Amino acid sequence: MLKLKSLKEPTSKDDGLTIMIARYGIRGQKKEYRQWDQWKEGGWKELAPSPALLREYIKQKKLTWDEYVVKYTLEIKSNPKALEALSRLKSLIATRTITILCHCRDEKHCHRSIIKQMIEDEDSKR
């Protein structure tokens, strides 16, 4: 099972393995207060949007959500390390509950929802 949460929400035991898929951590947060089980050590940062794409979408507001989805999906599909991380994520989901986390509050307009959709689309093709 795959669940989505913002880093701004508290995690719980029901979340299973928590994986952060953001490029940057929380500034100044001590390791003992982090809310995720894996991030850098799992290569999960590869599933984060590039700084350029984030800047274009969030800061400069040059992209609509639909345009962002297309560009982000292309970034993932053209990055072998991201595809490897996505494959590992799919394997983990098959055996346990996984919750992916990032900074965005609104999961409907966050790359974690795109990752979830990519996995669901892949599963529906089988």
Short mmCIF file of all heavy atoms in Angstrom, two decimals, residues 5 13 22 28 48 89 91 94:
data_model
loop_
_atom_site.label_atom_id
_atom_site.label_comp_id
_atom_site.label_asym_id
_atom_site.label_seq_id
_atom_site.Cartn_x
_atom_site.Cartn_y
_atom_site.Cartn_z
N LYS A 5 1.89 11.80 2.43
CA LYS A 5 1.77 12.75 3.53
C LYS A 5 2.72 13.90 3.32
O LYS A 5 3.78 13.74 2.70
CB LYS A 5 2.12 12.10 4.88
CG LYS A 5 0.97 11.46 5.58
CD LYS A 5 1.32 11.14 7.02
CE LYS A 5 0.11 10.59 7.73
NZ LYS A 5 0.40 10.20 9.09
N LYS A 13 2.58 4.99 13.31
CA LYS A 13 2.99 3.60 13.05
C LYS A 13 2.28 3.02 11.83
O LYS A 13 2.83 2.20 11.11
CB LYS A 13 2.71 2.73 14.27
CG LYS A 13 3.49 3.12 15.49
CD LYS A 13 4.64 2.20 15.70
CE LYS A 13 5.29 2.50 17.03
NZ LYS A 13 6.70 2.69 16.90
N ALA A 22 11.93 14.45 -1.26
CA ALA A 22 12.21 15.87 -1.51
C ALA A 22 13.71 16.02 -1.76
O ALA A 22 14.51 15.22 -1.29
CB ALA A 22 11.79 16.71 -0.32
N GLY A 28 17.93 23.00 9.70
CA GLY A 28 18.09 23.11 11.14
C GLY A 28 17.47 21.99 11.96
O GLY A 28 17.58 21.99 13.17
N ALA A 48 12.67 13.51 -6.55
CA ALA A 48 12.29 14.92 -6.35
C ALA A 48 12.42 15.67 -7.68
O ALA A 48 13.27 15.33 -8.51
CB ALA A 48 13.19 15.56 -5.30
N LEU A 89 10.73 1.46 -5.20
CA LEU A 89 9.53 1.85 -4.48
C LEU A 89 8.39 0.89 -4.79
O LEU A 89 7.69 0.43 -3.89
CB LEU A 89 9.15 3.29 -4.85
CG LEU A 89 7.97 3.91 -4.10
CD1 LEU A 89 8.22 3.94 -2.60
CD2 LEU A 89 7.70 5.32 -4.62
N SER A 91 8.61 -2.20 -5.68
CA SER A 91 8.90 -3.47 -5.02
C SER A 91 8.56 -3.43 -3.53
O SER A 91 8.00 -4.38 -2.99
CB SER A 91 10.39 -3.83 -5.17
OG SER A 91 10.69 -4.06 -6.52
N ALA A 94 4.81 -3.62 -2.77
CA ALA A 94 4.24 -4.95 -2.95
C ALA A 94 4.25 -5.77 -1.66
O ALA A 94 3.46 -6.70 -1.51
CB ALA A 94 5.00 -5.70 -4.05
#
